[in-house]
Amino acid sequence: MLAAVKSVVLAVFNRSRLWRPAQVQPEAREPSPPPRPPVGLCEFPLELLTMILEELDWRDVLRVRMVCKVLQGVSKTRSIWLNLCRPHLSPTATAPQTLHLERPIKLYTSHDLELLFLQLTSADVGWRTDANAPARKREVETTYPVKCMHLVEGGRWLLVASETGRIVYFDLEASTPTENILVPDQFDPFLRDEFDPLAEIQVVMAFDRDYDSEFLAFNLAISFTVMTSPPPDPKAQCVQIWRVELALDDQQRGVGLTAKLLASFPVEDYLDPILCQSIRGPHIALSFLAPRHTDRQLTFIIDWKQADGDQTNYPRRLIHPPYGKTPEAIHLLPGNKLFSVGKQVMMINDYLNIPETTSLPPLRFTDATVLPLWKALDGRFHPESDSISRPFFCSHSIRFSIRGGDTIHGVIIEYPYNEDPVEPLAQVVKLMEKADKHPMHECYGYSKGTIVKPYGTYLFSYPWPDAQDDAPPLLLHTEASIQHCEFGPLLDEQAGRVAVSADIASRSKDSRDKVHIWDFALIYK
């Protein structure tokens, strides 16, 4: 470390023009004065010390901090930690943005930036530690049983929805997170007292982050559908779009979340639960189970602003390819594209050229309404609904992590899209082999994943073929055990945080539900 500091000092001296090579002087006529005592590092001007530390690796910055009080103070300079954070605030050709802020960066103090950077860095260290256990374990309790939950990008906010239409959130940066109401009860909670599984409300959420907003903001699409026709409560057969924004205090720090209803529209009674959905800009993609139709699953693209109201005759586009009509996951992409993943097939479709209709297709309708721009067919590919990651945006591509069988695949979609018909629009690569074939529940990030089984929870770490990190794939095992959970887990790579719903066998009729929160980052508030 000392050698690194010396080389940096010389480089900074040269750059700052504060040092010149010794000049050869003519023969002195008078005796030379005695040499000055050497100048210690701590005697340099503050600006020069800051420039030196800005050139160091974060590990060396922390080591320098331990030398003396002067260097300890300099090591906390904001520009040092801003420089360390900056490479993580934008995507590269081989990786997405890894550090997501909820406020303008100018509002972050040196302490804030240091904590963000060290949490991000220690999350990766904690994930790979030999101890295979979280650095911190917590539990949060909900008033009603959990039907759906989501961990907002950045890992701070956990959203939980119930079958009464109630949406709550937890601030996971708090030492003891408590339940806060985002959307109050909307439906009669009578369904919680019935044990007919067909009367149970199915809840699905999807999120669209607004990156044009200076502060954290996103559109939340949440659907409520019932498998009985007609539904016991007509209001519980609908799709809602909420605008969720960060609530600020006087210092413009985030202290909570607020929600405003943007749109709501009903779903036909004879359509069974929405299996998967996606939202991007003004469009929402919905894939329904349609038991009366020959093709038992229907996928629509809907402009939710046009659909807003209490009628079902809103315009919609039917995505009905010649194969792969039963997707396990769908994702709206830029440029009017839909990426769908089903058994034995992955596809990219352009939905803009599909004519709109205001009604459902005939029951025996089987015609194709669209031909895929790209497809990958593989009979060994049998993904589940939670084995597909969200899209990750690199500087020149859109990527997904997907488990098929015992292999974790990566999908790389060139973006801006390759218009050359000779070159494929996307490619599939292998990220990790011999992963578990039959997890109970799973979640995948860009280079990390986690699965839950009755006898434990496994952590994955896998590099992409073009990644600068050439670490081999890892399979770790935690000591936690969940007997049976209804869904989840959730994973946020930035915070190194995993959320897993509690064992449903321990849930009584009116009991509160519990969610386990595991922090693998070694640094946290």
Side-chain angles (χ1 to χ4, degrees):
M1 191 271 289
L2 183 58
V5 172
K6 287 181 178 178
S7 62
V8 169
V9 169
L10 290 175
V12 171
F13 262 108
N14 285 325
R15 190 180 65 189
S16 63
R17 303 180 184 276
L18 295 176
W19 174 81
R20 294 286 188 277
Q23 300 288 334
V24 178
Q25 301 293 336
E27 185 176 349
R29 297 180 180 177
E30 298 180 1
S32 300
R36 295 181 180 180
V39 178
L41 183 64
C42 294
E43 297 179 58
F44 288 174
L46 177 61
E47 295 79 4
L48 186 57
L49 288 173
T50 301
M51 292 173 63
I52 293 171
L53 266 65
E54 285 176 356
E55 301 293 328
L56 297 180
D57 176 80
W58 65 272
R59 298 174 184 84
D60 289 334
V61 172
L62 295 182
R63 293 187 184 109
V64 168
R65 174 176 293 180
M66 301 172 63
V67 173
C68 64
K69 289 185 177 180
V70 172
L71 294 178
Q72 181 186 46
V74 177
S75 72
K76 297 180 180 181
T77 304
R78 185 178 185 276
S79 62
I80 295 172
W81 294 100
L82 180 60
N83 277 358
L84 290 169
C85 287
R86 190 171 281 120
H88 301 278
L89 295 172
S90 57
T92 67
T94 60
Q97 178 180 343
T98 53
L99 190 58
H100 301 274
L101 307 182
E102 60 180 29
R103 299 181 294 144
I105 195 168
K106 64 183 179 182
L107 297 179
Y108 284 79
T109 66
S110 176
H111 176 74
D112 295 333
L113 294 173
E114 179 179 340
L115 184 61
L116 278 172
F117 179 83
L118 293 180
Q119 183 185 49
L120 174 67
T121 305
S122 71
D124 189 58
V125 174
W127 195 268
R128 299 167 183 259
T129 181
D130 293 336
N132 297 336
R136 177 173 62 165
K137 295 181 181 182
R138 295 173 292 170
E139 283 186 351
V140 298
E141 285 190 334
T142 63
T143 300
Y144 295 155
V146 178
K147 294 299 297 181
C148 186
M149 62 183 187
H150 178 81
L151 197 54
V152 177
E153 194 174 51
R156 177 180 179 182
W157 306 102
L158 175 68
L159 270 61
V160 177
S162 73
E163 57 194 355
T164 65
R166 176 188 178 106
I167 307 173
V168 300
Y169 69 88
F170 295 85
D171 181 357
L172 300 184
E173 287 189 358
S175 56
T176 307
T178 56
E179 184 180 84
N180 299 275
I181 297 177
L182 185 64
V183 178
D185 293 329
Q186 302 182 71
F187 317 133
D188 188 333
F190 66 91
L191 289 173
R192 293 199 305 122
D193 298 325
E194 298 191 14
F195 294 95
D196 179 6
L198 296 180
E200 186 176 358
I201 292 182
Q202 304 295 315
V203 184
V204 181
M205 292 194 290
F207 293 77
D208 180 24
R209 175 81 179 257
D210 182 0
Y211 288 101
D212 293 330
S213 174
E214 284 193 308
F215 294 89
L216 173 67
F218 55 87
N219 288 343
L220 161 64
I222 184 166
S223 61
F224 303 93
T225 47
V226 189
M227 294 179 66
T228 57
S229 181
D233 186 343
K235 295 183 296 182
Q237 187 82 0
C238 70
V239 177
Q240 299 175 345
I241 313 297
W242 293 86
R243 175 71 171 184
V244 181
E245 296 182 343
L246 188 68
L248 305 172
D249 62 10
D250 294 339
Q251 286 75 42
Q252 291 190 299
R253 290 183 174 271
V255 293
L257 300 175
T258 63
K260 177 183 178 182
L261 184 63
L262 298 181
S264 177
F265 56 91
V267 174
E268 284 82 355
D269 292 349
Y270 51 88
L271 290 179
D272 276 352
I274 293 175
L275 301 177
C276 49
Q277 66 185 32
S278 175
I279 181 174
R280 182 178 180 85
H283 293 110
I284 183 170
L286 303 169
S287 189
F288 298 88
L289 183 63
R292 298 185 184 181
H293 289 71
T294 300
D295 290 333
R296 292 174 56 85
Q297 195 164 336
L298 301 176
T299 301
F300 296 102
I301 307 294
I302 300 168
D303 186 323
W304 50 265
K305 293 181 180 179
Q306 294 184 25
D308 185 28
D310 56 5
Q311 302 298 317
T312 59
N313 60 345
Y314 41 82
R316 65 190 88 183
R317 290 182 168 91
L318 174 63
I319 299 289
H320 215 54
Y323 37 75
K325 299 175 183 177
T326 57
E328 292 288 340
I330 51 179
H331 291 280
L332 288 167
L333 302 179
N336 307 309
K337 304 295 191 291
L338 180 73
F339 176 68
S340 61
V341 183
K343 288 179 172 57
Q344 303 182 14
V345 62
M346 291 181 281
M347 289 183 295
I348 299 175
N349 290 295
D350 189 330
Y351 59 82
L352 195 60
N353 295 326
I354 301 174
E356 290 186 330
T357 178
T358 57
S359 60
L360 298 179
L363 297 181
R364 297 188 180 277
F365 181 84
T366 58
D367 297 343
T369 64
V370 65
L371 294 177
L373 299 176
W374 173 85
K375 65 182 183 295
L377 301 173
D378 190 335
R380 298 167 298 176
F381 194 70
H382 293 275
E384 301 297 333
S385 59
D386 55 359
S387 64
I388 298 98
S389 74
R390 64 179 178 87
F392 296 97
F393 292 85
C394 300
S395 59
H396 298 93
S397 63
I398 305 171
R399 304 188 178 196
F400 292 86
S401 303
I402 302 173
R403 181 187 58 81
D406 64 350
T407 302
I408 300 175
H409 305 272
V411 178
I412 304 176
I413 304 170
E414 297 298 324
Y415 185 76
Y417 301 115
N418 184 4
E419 302 296 339
D420 186 351
V422 178
E423 296 295 328
L425 189 63
Q427 60 174 314
V428 181
V429 297
K430 287 185 179 180
L431 303 181
M432 182 177 184
E433 294 183 293
K434 298 182 179 179
D436 198 297
K437 286 186 178 181
H438 305 292
M440 189 165 62
H441 295 289
E442 55 196 321
C443 182
Y444 292 89
Y446 183 71
S447 59
K448 295 180 176 65
T450 180
I451 65 172
V452 174
K453 301 197 75 171
Y455 46 80
T457 301
Y458 288 85
L459 308 179
F460 295 94
S461 177
Y462 41 83
W464 287 70
D466 55 1
Q468 296 180 355
D469 180 8
D470 58 355
L474 295 177
L475 176 60
L476 307 174
H477 177 256
T478 71
E479 56 193 29
S481 178
I482 305 295
Q483 292 301 312
H484 185 70
C485 57
E486 198 167 4
F487 54 85
L490 304 177
L491 164 66
D492 184 83
E493 292 176 279
Q494 173 180 327
R497 184 165 288 148
V498 174
V500 184
S501 60
D503 186 355
I504 64 174
S506 63
R507 178 196 297 169
S508 62
K509 178 179 174 182
D510 296 317
S511 68
R512 289 173 171 262
D513 233 350
K514 292 183 178 180
V515 180
H516 301 289
I517 308 297
W518 300 332
D519 293 317
F520 288 90
L522 308 179
I523 305 294
Y524 48 80
K525 283 189 176 180

